Coordinates of all heavy atoms in Angstrom, one line a residue:
M1 N 0.8 -1.2 0.0 CA 0.0 0.0 0.0 C 0.9 1.2 0.0 O 1.9 1.3 0.7 CB -0.9 0.0 1.2 CG -1.9 1.1 1.4 SD -3.1 1.3 0.1 CE -4.0 -0.2 0.1
S2 N 0.5 2.2 -0.7 CA 1.3 3.4 -0.9 C 1.3 4.2 0.4 O 0.2 4.4 1.1 CB 0.7 4.3 -2.0 OG 1.2 5.6 -2.0
D3 N 2.5 4.7 0.8 CA 2.6 5.5 2.0 C 1.9 6.9 1.8 O 1.7 7.6 2.7 CB 4.1 5.8 2.3 CG 4.7 4.5 3.0 OD1 4.0 3.6 3.4 OD2 5.9 4.4 3.0
D4 N 1.6 7.2 0.5 CA 0.8 8.5 0.3 C -0.6 8.4 0.9 O -1.1 9.5 1.2 CB 0.7 8.7 -1.2 CG 2.0 8.9 -1.9 OD1 3.0 9.3 -1.3 OD2 2.0 8.8 -3.2
L5 N -1.1 7.2 1.1 CA -2.4 7.1 1.7 C -2.4 7.0 3.2 O -3.4 7.1 3.9 CB -3.1 5.8 1.2 CG -3.3 5.8 -0.3 CD1 -3.9 4.5 -0.8 CD2 -4.2 6.9 -0.7
L6 N -1.2 6.9 3.8 CA -1.1 6.8 5.3 C -1.7 8.0 6.0 O -2.4 7.7 7.0 CB 0.4 6.7 5.7 CG 0.6 6.5 7.2 CD1 0.0 5.2 7.7 CD2 2.1 6.4 7.5
P7 N -1.6 9.2 5.6 CA -2.3 10.3 6.3 C -3.8 10.1 6.3 O -4.5 10.5 7.3 CB -1.9 11.6 5.5 CG -0.7 11.2 4.8 CD -0.7 9.8 4.5
Y8 N -4.4 9.5 5.3 CA -5.8 9.3 5.3 C -6.2 8.2 6.3 O -7.2 8.3 7.0 CB -6.3 8.9 3.9 CG -6.1 10.0 2.9 CD1 -5.0 9.9 2.0 CD2 -6.9 11.1 2.9 CE1 -4.8 10.9 1.1 CE2 -6.7 12.1 2.0 CZ -5.7 12.0 1.1 OH -5.4 13.1 0.2
F9 N -5.3 7.2 6.4 CA -5.6 6.1 7.3 C -5.5 6.7 8.8 O -6.3 6.4 9.6 CB -4.5 5.0 7.2 CG -4.5 4.0 8.3 CD1 -5.6 3.1 8.5 CD2 -3.5 3.9 9.2 CE1 -5.6 2.2 9.6 CE2 -3.4 3.1 10.2 CZ -4.5 2.2 10.4
L10 N -4.5 7.5 9.0 CA -4.3 8.1 10.3 C -5.5 9.0 10.7 O -6.0 9.0 11.9 CB -3.0 8.9 10.4 CG -1.8 8.1 10.3 CD1 -0.5 9.0 10.2 CD2 -1.7 7.0 11.4
E11 N -6.0 9.8 9.8 CA -7.2 10.6 10.0 C -8.4 9.8 10.3 O -9.1 10.0 11.3 CB -7.5 11.5 8.8 CG -8.6 12.4 9.0 CD -8.9 13.3 7.8 OE1 -8.0 13.5 7.0 OE2 -10.0 13.8 7.7
E12 N -8.7 8.8 9.5 CA -9.8 7.9 9.7 C -9.6 7.1 11.0 O -10.5 6.9 11.8 CB -10.0 6.9 8.6 CG -11.2 6.0 8.8 CD -11.3 4.9 7.7 OE1 -10.3 4.5 7.1 OE2 -12.5 4.5 7.5
G13 N -8.3 6.7 11.3 CA -8.0 6.0 12.5 C -8.4 6.8 13.8 O -8.9 6.2 14.7
R14 N -8.1 8.1 13.8 CA -8.5 8.9 14.9 C -10.0 8.9 15.1 O -10.5 8.8 16.3 CB -8.0 10.3 14.7 CG -6.5 10.5 14.9 CD -6.0 11.9 14.7 NE -4.6 12.0 14.6 CZ -3.9 12.1 13.5 NH1 -4.6 12.1 12.3 NH2 -2.6 12.1 13.5
E15 N -10.7 9.0 14.0 CA -12.2 9.0 14.1 C -12.7 7.7 14.6 O -13.6 7.6 15.5 CB -12.8 9.3 12.8 CG -12.5 10.7 12.3 CD -12.9 11.0 10.8 OE1 -13.6 10.1 10.2 OE2 -12.6 12.0 10.3
L16 N -12.1 6.6 14.2 CA -12.5 5.3 14.6 C -12.2 5.0 16.1 O -13.0 4.4 16.8 CB -11.9 4.2 13.7 CG -12.4 4.1 12.3 CD1 -11.5 3.3 11.4 CD2 -13.8 3.6 12.3
V17 N -11.1 5.5 16.5 CA -10.7 5.4 17.9 C -11.7 6.2 18.8 O -12.1 5.7 19.9 CB -9.2 5.9 18.2 CG1 -9.0 6.0 19.7 CG2 -8.3 4.9 17.6
E18 N -12.1 7.4 18.4 CA -13.1 8.1 19.1 C -14.4 7.4 19.2 O -15.0 7.3 20.2 CB -13.3 9.5 18.5 CG -12.1 10.4 18.7 CD -12.3 11.8 18.0 OE1 -13.4 12.1 17.5 OE2 -11.3 12.5 17.9
R19 N -14.8 6.8 18.0 CA -16.1 6.1 18.0 C -16.0 4.9 18.9 O -16.9 4.6 19.6 CB -16.3 5.6 16.6 CG -17.7 6.0 16.0 CD -17.9 5.6 14.6 NE -17.3 6.5 13.7 CZ -17.0 6.3 12.5 NH1 -17.2 5.1 12.0 NH2 -16.5 7.2 11.7
A20 N -14.9 4.1 18.9 CA -14.7 3.0 19.7 C -14.7 3.4 21.2 O -15.3 2.7 22.0 CB -13.4 2.2 19.4
A21 N -14.0 4.4 21.5 CA -14.0 4.9 22.9 C -15.4 5.3 23.4 O -15.8 4.9 24.6 CB -13.1 6.1 23.1
A22 N -16.2 5.9 22.6 CA -17.5 6.3 23.0 C -18.4 5.0 23.2 O -19.2 4.9 24.1 CB -18.2 7.2 21.9
A23 N -18.2 4.1 22.3 CA -19.0 2.8 22.4 C -18.6 2.0 23.6 O -19.4 1.5 24.3 CB -18.8 2.0 21.1
L24 N -17.3 2.0 23.9 CA -16.8 1.3 25.1 C -17.3 2.0 26.4 O -17.7 1.3 27.4 CB -15.3 1.2 25.1 CG -14.7 0.2 24.1 CD1 -13.2 0.3 24.1 CD2 -15.2 -1.2 24.2
A25 N -17.3 3.3 26.4 CA -17.9 4.1 27.5 C -19.3 3.7 27.7 O -19.8 3.5 28.9 CB -17.7 5.6 27.3
E26 N -20.1 3.7 26.6 CA -21.5 3.3 26.7 C -21.6 1.9 27.3 O -22.5 1.6 28.1 CB -22.2 3.4 25.4 CG -23.6 3.0 25.4 CD -24.5 3.8 26.3 OE1 -24.2 5.0 26.6 OE2 -25.4 3.2 26.9
L27 N -20.8 1.0 26.8 CA -20.8 -0.4 27.3 C -20.5 -0.4 28.8 O -21.0 -1.3 29.6 CB -19.8 -1.3 26.6 CG -20.3 -1.8 25.2 CD1 -19.2 -2.5 24.5 CD2 -21.5 -2.7 25.4
G28 N -19.7 0.5 29.3 CA -19.4 0.6 30.7 C -20.6 1.0 31.5 O -20.8 0.6 32.7
R29 N -21.4 1.8 30.9 CA -22.7 2.2 31.6 C -23.8 1.2 31.4 O -24.6 1.0 32.3 CB -23.2 3.5 31.0 CG -22.3 4.7 31.3 CD -22.9 6.0 30.9 NE -22.9 6.2 29.4 CZ -21.9 6.6 28.7 NH1 -20.7 6.9 29.3 NH2 -21.9 6.7 27.4
D30 N -23.8 0.5 30.3 CA -24.8 -0.5 30.0 C -24.2 -1.6 29.2 O -24.1 -1.6 28.0 CB -26.0 0.2 29.2 CG -27.1 -0.8 28.8 OD1 -27.1 -1.9 29.2 OD2 -27.9 -0.4 28.0
G31 N -23.8 -2.6 30.0 CA -23.1 -3.8 29.4 C -23.9 -4.6 28.4 O -23.4 -5.4 27.7
A32 N -25.2 -4.4 28.4 CA -26.1 -5.1 27.5 C -26.5 -4.4 26.3 O -27.3 -4.8 25.5 CB -27.4 -5.5 28.3
N33 N -25.8 -3.2 26.0 CA -26.1 -2.4 24.9 C -25.5 -3.0 23.6 O -24.3 -2.9 23.3 CB -25.6 -1.0 25.1 CG -26.0 0.0 24.0 OD1 -26.1 -0.4 22.8 ND2 -26.2 1.2 24.4
R34 N -26.3 -3.7 22.9 CA -25.8 -4.4 21.7 C -25.3 -3.5 20.6 O -24.4 -3.8 19.9 CB -27.0 -5.3 21.2 CG -26.7 -6.1 20.0 CD -26.3 -7.5 20.4 NE -26.1 -8.3 19.2 CZ -25.1 -9.2 19.1 NH1 -24.4 -9.4 20.1 NH2 -25.0 -9.9 18.0
D35 N -26.0 -2.3 20.5 CA -25.6 -1.4 19.5 C -24.2 -0.8 19.8 O -23.3 -0.7 18.9 CB -26.6 -0.2 19.4 CG -26.2 0.8 18.3 OD1 -26.1 0.3 17.1 OD2 -26.1 2.0 18.6
A36 N -23.9 -0.5 21.0 CA -22.6 -0.1 21.4 C -21.5 -1.1 21.2 O -20.4 -0.9 20.7 CB -22.6 0.4 22.9
L37 N -21.9 -2.4 21.5 CA -20.9 -3.5 21.2 C -20.6 -3.6 19.7 O -19.4 -3.7 19.3 CB -21.5 -4.8 21.7 CG -20.7 -6.1 21.5 CD1 -19.4 -6.0 22.3 CD2 -21.5 -7.3 21.9
E38 N -21.6 -3.5 18.9 CA -21.4 -3.6 17.4 C -20.6 -2.4 16.9 O -19.8 -2.6 16.0 CB -22.8 -3.7 16.7 CG -23.4 -5.1 17.0 CD -24.8 -5.2 16.4 OE1 -25.3 -4.2 15.7 OE2 -25.5 -6.2 16.6
Q39 N -20.9 -1.2 17.4 CA -20.1 -0.1 17.0 C -18.6 -0.2 17.4 O -17.7 0.1 16.6 CB -20.6 1.2 17.7 CG -22.0 1.6 17.1 CD -22.5 2.9 17.8 OE1 -21.7 3.7 18.3 NE2 -23.8 3.0 17.8
A40 N -18.3 -0.7 18.6 CA -16.9 -0.9 19.0 C -16.3 -2.0 18.1 O -15.2 -1.8 17.6 CB -16.9 -1.3 20.5
F41 N -17.0 -3.1 17.9 CA -16.4 -4.1 17.0 C -16.1 -3.6 15.6 O -15.1 -3.9 15.1 CB -17.4 -5.3 17.0 CG -17.0 -6.4 16.0 CD1 -16.0 -7.3 16.5 CD2 -17.4 -6.5 14.7 CE1 -15.6 -8.3 15.6 CE2 -17.0 -7.5 13.9 CZ -16.1 -8.4 14.3
R42 N -17.1 -2.9 15.0 CA -16.8 -2.4 13.7 C -15.6 -1.4 13.6 O -14.8 -1.5 12.7 CB -18.1 -1.7 13.2 CG -19.1 -2.6 12.6 CD -20.2 -1.9 11.8 NE -20.9 -0.8 12.6 CZ -21.9 -1.0 13.4 NH1 -22.5 -2.1 13.5 NH2 -22.5 0.1 14.0
A43 N -15.5 -0.6 14.6 CA -14.4 0.4 14.6 C -13.1 -0.4 14.7 O -12.1 -0.1 14.0 CB -14.5 1.3 15.8
F44 N -13.0 -1.4 15.7 CA -11.7 -2.1 15.8 C -11.5 -3.0 14.5 O -10.3 -3.1 14.1 CB -11.8 -3.0 17.0 CG -11.7 -2.3 18.3 CD1 -12.6 -2.6 19.3 CD2 -10.8 -1.3 18.6 CE1 -12.6 -1.9 20.6 CE2 -10.7 -0.7 19.8 CZ -11.6 -1.0 20.8
H45 N -12.5 -3.5 14.0 CA -12.3 -4.4 12.8 C -11.8 -3.5 11.6 O -10.9 -3.9 10.9 CB -13.6 -5.0 12.4 CG -13.5 -6.0 11.3 ND1 -13.8 -5.7 10.0 CD2 -13.2 -7.3 11.4 CE1 -13.6 -6.8 9.3 NE2 -13.2 -7.8 10.1
T46 N -12.3 -2.3 11.4 CA -11.9 -1.4 10.4 C -10.4 -1.0 10.6 O -9.6 -1.0 9.7 CB -12.8 -0.2 10.2 OG1 -14.2 -0.7 10.0 CG2 -12.4 0.7 9.1
L47 N -10.1 -0.7 11.8 CA -8.7 -0.3 12.1 C -7.8 -1.4 11.9 O -6.7 -1.2 11.3 CB -8.6 0.1 13.6 CG -9.1 1.6 13.9 CD1 -9.2 1.7 15.5 CD2 -8.1 2.6 13.4
K48 N -8.2 -2.6 12.3 CA -7.3 -3.8 12.0 C -7.1 -4.0 10.5 O -5.9 -4.3 10.1 CB -7.9 -5.0 12.7 CG -7.0 -6.3 12.6 CD -7.7 -7.4 13.3 CE -8.6 -8.1 12.4 NZ -8.8 -9.5 12.7
G49 N -8.1 -3.8 9.7 CA -7.9 -4.0 8.3 C -7.0 -3.0 7.7 O -6.1 -3.3 6.9
G50 N -7.1 -1.7 8.2 CA -6.2 -0.7 7.7 C -4.8 -0.9 8.2 O -3.8 -0.7 7.4
A51 N -4.6 -1.4 9.4 CA -3.3 -1.7 9.9 C -2.6 -2.8 9.0 O -1.4 -2.7 8.7 CB -3.3 -2.2 11.3
G52 N -3.4 -3.7 8.5 CA -2.9 -4.8 7.6 C -2.5 -4.2 6.3 O -1.4 -4.6 5.7
L53 N -3.2 -3.2 5.8 CA -2.8 -2.6 4.5 C -1.5 -1.9 4.6 O -0.8 -1.8 3.6 CB -3.9 -1.6 4.1 CG -5.2 -2.2 3.6 CD1 -6.3 -1.1 3.4 CD2 -5.0 -3.0 2.3
F54 N -1.2 -1.3 5.7 CA 0.1 -0.6 5.9 C 1.1 -1.3 6.6 O 2.1 -0.8 7.1 CB -0.2 0.8 6.6 CG -1.0 1.7 5.7 CD1 -2.4 1.8 5.9 CD2 -0.4 2.4 4.8 CE1 -3.2 2.6 5.1 CE2 -1.2 3.3 3.9 CZ -2.5 3.4 4.1
D55 N 1.0 -2.6 6.7 CA 2.0 -3.5 7.3 C 2.3 -3.1 8.7 O 3.5 -3.1 9.1 CB 3.2 -3.6 6.4 CG 4.1 -4.8 6.8 OD1 3.6 -5.8 7.3 OD2 5.3 -4.7 6.6
L56 N 1.3 -2.7 9.5 CA 1.5 -2.4 10.9 C 1.0 -3.6 11.7 O 0.0 -3.6 12.4 CB 0.6 -1.1 11.2 CG 0.9 0.1 10.4 CD1 -0.1 1.2 10.6 CD2 2.3 0.6 10.7
A57 N 1.9 -4.6 11.7 CA 1.6 -5.9 12.3 C 1.3 -5.8 13.8 O 0.4 -6.4 14.3 CB 2.7 -6.9 12.0
E58 N 2.1 -5.0 14.5 CA 1.9 -4.8 15.9 C 0.5 -4.3 16.3 O -0.2 -4.7 17.2 CB 3.0 -4.0 16.6 CG 4.4 -4.6 16.5 CD 5.1 -4.3 15.2 OE1 4.6 -3.5 14.4 OE2 6.2 -4.8 15.0
L59 N 0.1 -3.2 15.5 CA -1.2 -2.6 15.7 C -2.3 -3.6 15.4 O -3.3 -3.8 16.1 CB -1.3 -1.4 14.8 CG -2.7 -0.7 14.9 CD1 -3.0 -0.2 16.4 CD2 -2.7 0.5 14.0
G60 N -2.1 -4.4 14.3 CA -3.1 -5.4 13.9 C -3.2 -6.4 15.0 O -4.4 -6.9 15.3
A61 N -2.1 -6.9 15.6 CA -2.2 -7.9 16.7 C -2.9 -7.3 17.9 O -3.7 -8.0 18.5 CB -0.8 -8.4 17.0
L62 N -2.6 -6.1 18.2 CA -3.2 -5.5 19.4 C -4.8 -5.4 19.2 O -5.5 -5.7 20.0 CB -2.7 -4.1 19.6 CG -3.3 -3.3 20.7 CD1 -3.1 -3.9 22.1 CD2 -2.8 -1.8 20.7
L63 N -5.2 -4.9 18.0 CA -6.6 -4.8 17.7 C -7.3 -6.2 17.6 O -8.4 -6.3 18.0 CB -6.8 -4.0 16.4 CG -6.4 -2.6 16.5 CD1 -6.2 -2.0 15.1 CD2 -7.4 -1.8 17.3
H64 N -6.6 -7.2 17.2 CA -7.1 -8.5 17.1 C -7.4 -9.0 18.5 O -8.4 -9.7 18.8 CB -6.2 -9.5 16.4 CG -6.8 -10.8 16.2 ND1 -7.8 -11.1 15.3 CD2 -6.5 -12.0 16.9 CE1 -8.1 -12.4 15.5 NE2 -7.3 -12.9 16.4
A65 N -6.5 -8.7 19.4 CA -6.6 -9.2 20.8 C -7.8 -8.6 21.5 O -8.5 -9.1 22.3 CB -5.4 -8.9 21.6

């Protein structure tokens, strides 16, 4: 993957981390909130895919865990 696209991944990554953090905070308040669980999962899954495109194996392993 071209390093020219890395800034876009980083920008999207920040947004995804914010989304995941909000979803995890909601899960902390209501552990049965299925929507929050799905939002967190989607954010982490998207980040993991992007990490794979840019050969960021450590980040991918962390997100997989």
Side-chain angles (χ1 to χ4, degrees):
M1 181 62 57
S2 170
D3 285 343
D4 294 341
L5 298 176
L6 185 60
Y8 298 104
F9 168 69
L10 295 175
E11 181 179 338
E12 180 184 27
R14 286 182 192 95
E15 294 170 9
L16 289 166
V17 167
E18 288 176 13
R19 236 180 275 159
L24 291 174
E26 179 58 34
L27 281 171
R29 290 186 291 275
D30 177 8
N33 186 325
R34 181 96 175 143
D35 185 53
L37 178 63
E38 290 174 5
Q39 287 180 29
F41 176 81
R42 280 193 304 271
F44 289 132
H45 188 264
T46 302
L47 280 167
K48 188 176 84 156
L53 288 173
F54 291 98
D55 197 28
L56 301 171
E58 294 87 1
L59 178 59
L62 175 66
L63 291 164
H64 183 75

